[in-house]
Amino acid sequence: GVGIGNIFASLVTAVGRNPAAKNEVFGIAILGFALTEAVALFALVIAYYYYSRSRKFNFAYSNLSIGRF
């Protein structure tokens, strides 16, 4: 959330200073938005991967005392 807010705050500032560069700056801002979202989604995927691995690992050891796998 903070990164996206910074991107669009900078976009508003840049357009306010130089309205003629709106189209060029807007394209760069959308690219920055997309990269920020991609990094956030990648972090969620990695977190879920490690979470699911840790749950499977703990589950396997908790069942060894019962004798089931």
Side-chain angles (χ1 to χ4, degrees):
V2 176
I4 296 168
N6 284 338
I7 289 169
F8 286 108
S10 297
L11 171 68
V12 170
T13 303
V15 170
R17 289 179 184 221
N18 187 3
K22 178 183 176 187
N23 292 334
E24 182 180 340
V25 175
F26 185 74
I28 294 170
I30 293 298
L31 178 64
F33 169 73
L35 291 174
T36 304
E37 283 294 318
V39 168
L41 289 175
F42 183 69
L44 284 175
V45 168
I46 296 298
Y48 178 74
Y49 172 75
Y50 282 118
Y51 174 74
S52 65
R53 280 186 54 129
S54 70
R55 300 265 307 169
K56 288 177 186 175
F57 183 71
N58 292 335
F59 181 71
Y61 275 108
S62 67
N63 285 336
L64 285 179
S65 61
I66 301 171
R68 291 182 294 173
F69 293 104

